Amino acid sequence: MTNPTGTDPDCVFCKIVAGELPSRKVYEDAHALAFLDLSPFHRGHTLVVPKRHVTDVVTAGGALTEIAPAIEQTGRLLVDRLSADGLNVFTSAGEVAGQEVFHLHVHLIPRYAERPGLRRLLDRSADDSADELDAVLAELS
């Protein structure tokens, strides 16, 4: 569902977009913000969110199209700078599908040859320490 004001004061991603909460920003344009996931599945796991609040891809009202350039540019950045061997791109719609934050977000998950395949996608193998997240951000900057 789209909020007429474009934001939800209770939404953690709206607060990140507004600068009220810190993030490790990877990319930003007029419609989207990309930042490192604090609980990454794999090294470099990044979320791309629309700047306006929409609940999910099903109720997005065109938001997925708006953030497509950010998804493409961020995906290239992750693969190039982190020397990833592949990339998974996905989103979830609804609690049953695993959505935890109800603001549309697209996961960009760099993949590496030593942990291939979809079965290993959700194995949280990445170091989620602040130092490691800062190191990844430095590689992307």
Side-chain angles (χ1 to χ4, degrees), residues 80-127:
D80 292 346
R81 298 261 177 96
L82 300 179
S83 300
D85 301 303
L87 183 75
N88 288 107
V89 179
F90 77 91
T91 188
S92 300
E95 187 174 351
V96 170
Q99 186 176 7
E100 296 174 356
V101 177
F102 294 92
H103 181 123
L104 171 64
H105 54 289
V106 176
H107 297 261
L108 301 181
I109 305 173
R111 299 300 301 278
Y112 305 94
E114 67 272 7
R115 296 194 55 80
L118 285 176
R119 294 191 190 282
R120 291 189 172 163
L121 171 63
L122 302 180
D123 292 343
R124 290 189 188 269
S125 64
D127 177 353

Side-chain angles (χ1 to χ4, degrees), residues 7-86:
T7 64
D8 178 343
D10 298 321
C11 173
V12 66
F13 290 167
C14 285
K15 290 177 181 181
I16 289 171
V17 168
E20 296 169 14
L21 289 176
S23 70
R24 290 173 176 86
K25 182 171 44 174
V26 172
Y27 175 88
E28 183 174 20
D29 65 24
H31 300 288
L33 179 66
F35 51 90
L36 294 177
D37 192 304
L38 292 178
S39 186
F41 290 124
H42 296 271
R43 188 170 195 273
H45 181 170
T46 299
L47 302 177
V48 179
V49 303
K51 288 186 172 179
R52 65 184 175 103
H53 184 82
V54 292
T55 303
D56 58 40
V57 69
V58 176
T59 60
L64 190 59
T65 302
E66 292 170 7
I67 68 172
I71 293 168
E72 290 179 19
Q73 289 195 32
T74 304
R76 279 193 297 275
L77 178 71
L78 293 170
V79 169
D80 292 346
R81 298 261 177 96
L82 300 179
S83 300
D85 301 303

